[in-house]
Amino acid sequence: MAKHIIFSATGGPEVLKYSEFSPVDPAPDEVQVENKAIGINYIDTYVRSGLYPTANLPSGLGTEAAGIVTKVGSKVSYIKIGDRVAYAQSGLGAYSEVHNVPTSKLTILPDTISFEQAAASLLKGLTVYYLFYQTYKILEGETFLFHAAAGGVGLIACQWAKALGAKLIGTVGSDEKARLAQNAGAWQTINYNRENIVERVLELTNGQKVDVVYDSVGQATWLDSLDSLAPRGLMVSFGNASGAVTGVNVGLLNQKGSLFLTRPSINGYITTREELAEASKTLFDFIANGKIKVDVPENQKFPLIEAVRAHQILESRATHGSSLLIP
């Protein structure tokens, strides 16, 4: 028997239940992973709340973790029992002591990367990878706007931008979060609780605005994001932390400078084992050489049984960087 988190109805954090289950053997193309650290991501709250519908309830939750392979399916040849692995796009159910994962979603974990580092960074790091390399190619010296710069994705983005020699302007909700983002590598920060985002972008760019905005906040920053873009700029809307952007008037894109808009996700960019291997190697190399540091505060590491509290704290916007569940 093993323990996991399930939910039988969508709603607030209280729908999450800690329960016992009997793990089944992995399918022919799967391996069974004994999770050592589990990543908590904002997308998990979208699934739990019903914003992102699940096909069947009751359901497990979470798609990211790192651990040790304990069983392999009959068709698995390149992964063996005892391998250290990480995954970030598995089927729902990573909030668990053990999880069966398709081999196409697994990456071998180098000895230089800890389980906690991997679980805290893989999905977020792969997100930054596709945003900076594929959705829009960030170049050395480029200035751009990145919302929620002190969040889990944001702090990795700040460090990654610095490594590329780019100038990330990060929005944050407090002076403390501004300090965290700047220490991570943000070129400049904007405290949206006491500064006007658009006015500050104009000041920081000498009136030129930016060619790309990365926005995971959603509804609350939608218009500010559009107004921060130069003509023919690209609005990258990749999250809904403040609520989904709905009822979009596409005429605004014309009125504000023939803007481009995309709503990407990792599943549209990292789709094969080869793409996953390339992206994760780039991330792990940055971590190994110290260009990206992944330090999870002790008060953001929660026992698996405390998943409800973890979600409550995450949605209160009180966290910075990554949070983990520890089986």
Side-chain angles (χ1 to χ4, degrees):
M1 301 296 286
K3 300 293 197 306
H4 67 168
I5 298 295
I6 62 169
F7 63 108
S8 299
T10 57
E14 67 280 355
V15 303
L16 301 178
K17 305 299 179 185
Y18 182 71
S19 64
E20 195 171 59
F21 76 110
S22 298
V24 299
D25 288 337
D29 61 347
E30 293 180 336
V31 303
Q32 189 167 99
V33 180
E34 180 184 332
N35 289 332
K36 299 298 185 182
I38 301 161
I40 303 173
N41 294 284
Y42 219 92
I43 194 172
D44 301 341
T45 71
Y46 301 160
V47 175
R48 186 213 71 223
S49 69
L51 180 62
Y52 289 1
T54 54
N56 297 296
L57 291 176
S59 172
L61 190 63
T63 62
E64 175 184 39
I68 297 173
V69 174
T70 54
K71 293 182 180 181
V72 298
S74 59
K75 294 184 179 179
V76 176
S77 58
Y78 70 95
I79 295 175
K80 63 184 184 299
I81 292 174
D83 279 350
R84 302 172 74 251
V85 296
Y87 57 91
Q89 296 168 273
S90 72
L92 293 175
Y95 285 19
S96 180
E97 292 177 340
V98 297
H99 187 37
N100 292 344
V101 184
T103 55
S104 61
K105 305 300 183 184
L106 283 171
T107 186
I108 298 295
L109 193 59
D111 291 338
T112 53
I113 309 298
S114 72
F115 294 122
E116 289 191 1
Q117 284 178 313
S121 69
L122 187 56
L123 182 59
K124 300 170 184 70
L126 295 180
T127 298
V128 175
Y129 177 88
Y130 84 74
L131 290 174
F132 284 8
Y133 289 77
Q134 298 173 305
T135 305
Y136 179 97
K137 179 70 173 177
I138 294 294
L139 301 176
E140 183 178 0
E142 180 148 24
T143 303
F144 62 98
L145 183 64
F146 199 103
H147 289 293
V153 174
L155 287 179
I156 291 176
C158 290
Q159 296 176 79
W160 208 309
K162 183 178 180 180
L164 295 175
K167 297 179 177 180
L168 181 150
I169 302 171
T171 69
V172 295
S174 69
D175 290 341
E176 169 64 12
K177 289 190 174 184
R179 183 187 64 78
L180 289 168
Q182 288 173 336
N183 288 345
W187 175 60
Q188 298 284 345
T189 56
I190 301 171
N191 183 340
Y192 55 76
N193 282 319
R194 59 178 177 79
E195 297 177 287
N196 182 285
I197 292 173
V198 179
E199 289 177 2
R200 283 291 289 145
V201 168
L202 282 167
E203 291 173 7
L204 293 169
T205 61
N206 296 317
Q208 299 302 302
K209 300 187 179 182
V210 296
D211 288 327
V212 61
V213 173
Y214 295 104
D215 190 338
S216 63
V217 176
Q219 188 179 65
T221 49
W222 167 248
L223 289 178
D224 284 337
S225 292
L226 296 183
D227 287 333
S228 297
L229 284 165
R232 297 184 301 281
L234 175 63
M235 168 64 172
V236 183
S237 176
F238 70 102
N240 316 285
S242 69
V245 177
T246 58
V248 174
N249 174 8
V250 295
L252 280 176
L253 303 177
N254 171 43
Q255 296 167 21
K256 294 181 181 294
S258 297
L259 304 177
F260 293 88
L261 168 65
T262 184
R263 183 62 172 85
S265 72
I266 192 171
N267 292 325
Y269 283 93
I270 299 175
T271 60
T272 66
R273 182 157 58 91
E274 292 73 22
E275 290 169 342
L276 174 59
E278 179 181 353
S280 59
K281 182 181 186 304
T282 303
L283 170 66
F284 292 152
D285 285 350
F286 273 138
I287 295 174
N289 65 28
K291 290 183 178 179
I292 291 178
K293 292 183 171 61
V294 184
D295 298 315
V296 180
E298 287 301 318
N299 65 351
Q300 290 178 208
K301 298 177 185 178
F302 304 89
L304 181 61
I305 196 172
E306 294 185 10
V308 170
R309 188 166 73 91
H311 273 227
Q312 289 170 337
I313 293 174
L314 179 66
E315 290 185 301
S316 74
R317 308 288 282 275
T319 63
H320 59 82
S322 300
S323 299
L324 295 173
L325 291 171
I326 307 299

